[in-house]
Amino acid sequence: MNTVYLDNAATSFPKPQGVSDRMKYYLDCVGANVNRSVYTAAQEAGLVTLTLRQRLARLFRFPEPPTHVILTPGATFALNTLISGLLRPGDHCIVSGMEHNAVMRPLLRLPEVSVSRLPCDSEGFADIAALPGLLRSSTKLVVMAHGSNVCGTVQDAEAIGRICADRGVPFALDAAQTAGHLPIDFSALHLSALAVPGHKGLLGPGGTGALLLRDELAQRLTPLTAGGTGSASDSEYLPDYLPDKFESGTANLPGYYGWEAALRFVEETGVPALREHEMALCSRFLQGLEDIPHVRLCGTRDLSRRVGVISVDFLRRDNAEAAYALETEYGILTRCGLHCAPSAHRTLGTFPQGTVRFSLGFANTEADVDAALHALRALA
């Protein structure tokens, strides 16, 4: 049976040509760490790492130098670095009602930090008019998912960022579902921080990610980890300059080589072109769902306000049973459950049963969408 991979919101697959080749090249031919030596292989690894930071800075129109692109093991680590590094007892943080546990779990393990949730409607859109009323003198951070990993709804980050900027509150975006899927302009969105994973829309390998930081915010953060950086080795104290302040330990160089190659593909193809392809498939999928009975679409049908993450709720059968049948009978690979986002499912009215999620990627085709719709009609 041929399989159709529709789980790109978890991890993009397949990767662009050349990604795995570059990872193998590093392991077979380079092997050196960065900042630890000055021989040729180490200098090459350092140059690839710098090029990776530069590509990320260009992609997101980041106004700070590439040193402020902090490379991490993923978006979750980036968000932990931000949340745990910034917030102190008595501080207040605002999130939306659509958050992933990558935001909520770091926050809720800080019991002396209070959290307010910006309410969202039944399609997952935040009530932006309610935001000013939630802001306090103790509000030190507004952080929220740009796009929902459950239903694809994209928040109006520019409007939220403008309110935060007017009040002098740092605004951070979890772009796990939007980086590489739609254009993101760091300055236009009034961001103080942006967390991105490497392995989703940016098409890189797992175990890669980045945190892009305004200098003012970076100076206020306490690093999540401390250790060897290969710099300031005359001191037992962590360097206070970037990126070393936040990058202790051995870097994921095979991952960085692969991710740099993936970002080259993203740059050369263009995010607008990738989005156009994804939205054409998304439109086809949503239109096909209209005549399928006993299946409820979660989220919006407005293509201008979403990404290609499509969740459905089977009304006459168990969602997990349906997802199992999609794979075993039709070769359609999806993700079923609560998607590490119980707050989002409560907002959408799909808690505790969850949904079956179909998520589109650059390599998917119209035939993939048609195969998924055929299977849905048969199972519904």
Side-chain angles (χ1 to χ4, degrees):
M1 183 193 305
N2 292 327
T3 59
V4 175
Y5 185 83
L6 292 173
D7 196 20
N8 289 279
T11 296
S12 58
F13 179 81
K15 304 300 182 183
Q17 186 176 5
V19 171
S20 61
D21 291 338
R22 287 292 284 167
M23 297 176 73
K24 187 176 188 301
Y25 165 74
Y26 170 81
L27 292 169
D28 289 347
C29 303
V30 182
N33 203 345
V34 294
N35 287 352
R36 269 67 174 183
S37 299
V38 295
Y39 49 79
T40 302
Q43 291 187 39
E44 179 193 313
L47 182 59
V48 170
T49 303
L50 173 60
T51 303
L52 171 59
R53 297 185 207 274
Q54 291 171 329
R55 288 192 189 280
L56 287 165
R58 283 197 301 271
L59 184 63
F60 300 116
R61 298 189 178 183
F62 183 54
E64 301 283 356
T67 52
H68 289 53
V69 177
I70 310 304
L71 300 178
T72 69
T76 297
F77 193 97
L79 290 163
N80 273 263
T81 297
L82 171 68
I83 291 166
S84 296
L86 177 65
L87 299 176
R88 301 289 179 265
D91 287 347
H92 173 242
C93 179
I94 298 174
V95 300
S96 80
M98 293 294 291
E99 296 313 311
H100 189 278
N101 280 342
V103 166
M104 296 313 305
R105 287 181 174 174
L107 274 174
L108 297 182
R109 73 173 185 172
L110 303 174
E112 295 179 305
V113 172
S114 58
V115 179
S116 296
R117 299 182 194 244
L118 184 64
C120 298
D121 64 21
S122 60
E123 291 187 339
F125 291 111
D127 180 4
I128 298 174
L131 178 58
L134 295 178
L135 292 166
R136 309 174 188 171
S137 60
S138 59
T139 304
K140 296 298 188 292
L141 180 66
V142 174
V143 55
M144 59 186 63
H146 192 195
S148 169
N149 74 308
V150 175
C151 66
T153 294
V154 174
Q155 306 296 351
D156 187 349
E158 183 177 359
I160 295 168
R162 190 179 306 113
I163 294 170
C164 293
D166 289 344
R167 296 287 290 270
V169 176
F171 176 43
L173 212 54
D174 170 6
Q177 299 301 332
T178 54
H181 292 281
L182 54 82
I184 296 174
D185 186 321
F186 194 98
S187 297
L189 299 183
H190 310 281
L191 295 178
S192 296
L194 177 69
V196 300
H199 68 291
K200 298 189 182 187
L202 297 178
L203 307 180
T208 58
L211 178 64
L212 286 69
L213 288 171
R214 287 275 190 185
D215 184 68
E216 187 277 332
L217 182 59
Q219 300 310 317
R220 294 165 56 191
L221 296 187
T222 300
L224 195 62
T225 60
T229 59
S231 56
S233 294
D234 59 326
S235 173
E236 292 180 333
Y237 292 94
L238 199 62
D240 61 359
Y241 47 82
L242 274 61
D244 303 47
K245 177 180 177 180
F246 298 105
E247 293 186 5
S248 292
T250 299
N252 177 11
L253 268 301
Y256 294 173
Y257 269 66
W259 195 15
E260 191 273 326
L263 286 174
R264 186 187 316 128
F265 171 84
V266 171
E267 275 196 302
E268 291 174 354
T269 305
V271 172
L274 291 169
R275 176 161 177 79
E276 182 180 5
H277 172 71
E278 181 180 316
M279 287 299 96
L281 296 181
C282 186
S283 176
R284 189 180 188 91
F285 204 122
L286 296 182
Q287 289 175 17
L289 282 176
E290 291 179 357
D291 65 355
I292 300 178
H294 316 309
V295 172
R296 178 171 76 93
L297 172 69
C298 302
T300 183
R301 290 184 175 274
D302 185 346
L303 295 177
S304 69
R305 305 179 72 190
R306 62 147 42 246
V307 289
V309 178
I310 301 165
S311 264
V312 300
D313 186 14
F314 284 79
L315 303 181
R316 292 196 175 183
R317 67 188 303 168
D318 181 80
N319 284 326
E321 178 190 61
Y324 179 74
L326 281 166
E327 178 190 3
T328 57
E329 298 177 26
Y330 299 95
I332 309 297
L333 307 184
T334 64
R335 182 176 175 188
C336 179
L338 294 171
H339 311 97
C340 301
S343 178
H345 279 280
R346 287 189 175 96
T347 296
L348 298 169
T350 51
F351 187 91
Q353 76 271 22
T355 59
V356 179
R357 185 185 72 184
F358 304 78
S359 46
L360 303 164
F362 84 99
N364 287 126
T365 64
E366 291 184 350
D368 294 339
V369 170
D370 293 344
L373 291 169
H374 169 75
L376 277 168
R377 289 189 185 95
L379 292 173

